[in-house]
Amino acid sequence: MRESVQAEVMMSFLVSEELSFRIPVELRYETCDPYAVRLTFHLPGDAPVTWVFGRELLIDGVGRPCGDGDVHIAPADPEALGEVLIRLQVGGDHALFRSGTAPLVAFLDRTDRLVPLGQERSLEGFDTSLDAVLDRILTEEQSAG
């Protein structure tokens, strides 16, 4: 069984109303973390930056505005559904990206064929993997703090 799905999508990084540029963004979904998707942004002159958030948030955001906290996803035009805006925020700083809806839907369709939405818990060993990841995160936080 295949354990991951990935795709590269060109997105516009919207710096301001007047300035934007296209960047490659790697989308990745792995069965070892079946609730999440990873987007790795390849900004010119910077190290790649990866954001991890819920697959369901991306699914919902294609059709309607959604998201709490640091990640907000919404159709650029609720009437047309041709493009999606992804807003990422850390503290007072934020970044806004625009993507075509079609490549996101194609990626999400491939994730659904790998692990159907709602069937994430049925993956053998998921709870054990989740416990190991949470233990590692807690250990790293305790050693850093």
Side-chain angles (χ1 to χ4, degrees):
M1 176 176 152
R2 190 171 31 151
E3 296 184 4
S4 68
V5 171
Q6 63 185 69
E8 185 173 290
V9 175
M10 293 302 290
M11 292 188 186
S12 294
F13 176 35
L14 307 174
V15 179
S16 68
E17 296 255 344
E18 301 82 28
L19 178 62
S20 68
F21 53 93
R22 306 220 1 113
I23 62 166
V25 178
E26 179 186 329
L27 287 72
R28 187 167 182 84
Y29 176 80
E30 299 173 334
T31 58
C32 64
D33 190 2
Y35 291 99
V37 292
R38 288 163 173 68
L39 275 66
T40 300
F41 298 89
H42 298 274
L43 299 169
D46 287 335
V49 175
T50 300
W51 279 73
V52 180
F53 52 87
R55 172 172 68 155
E56 198 165 342
L57 175 64
L58 186 57
I59 291 169
D60 291 345
V62 167
R64 64 177 175 81
C66 64
D68 291 321
D70 297 339
V71 180
H72 294 265
I73 303 174
D77 178 357
E79 304 289 320
L81 299 179
E83 294 183 316
V84 174
L85 296 174
I86 300 173
R87 185 176 195 269
L88 307 173
Q89 183 169 337
V90 176
D93 296 327
H94 74 273
L96 185 61
F97 300 89
R98 182 176 50 227
S99 172
T101 302
L104 297 179
V105 169
F107 169 76
L108 289 167
D109 181 59
R110 291 175 54 213
T111 71
D112 192 62
R113 282 187 264 141
L114 185 61
V115 179
L117 191 62
Q119 299 298 312
E120 295 89 352
R121 288 196 73 81
S122 67
L123 293 177
E124 185 176 319
F126 172 69
D127 289 333
T128 304
S129 297
L130 181 60
D131 288 341
V133 168
L134 292 175
D135 287 343
R136 188 183 81 234
I137 291 169
L138 288 173
T139 301
E140 289 173 1
E141 285 185 3
Q142 289 171 352
S143 66

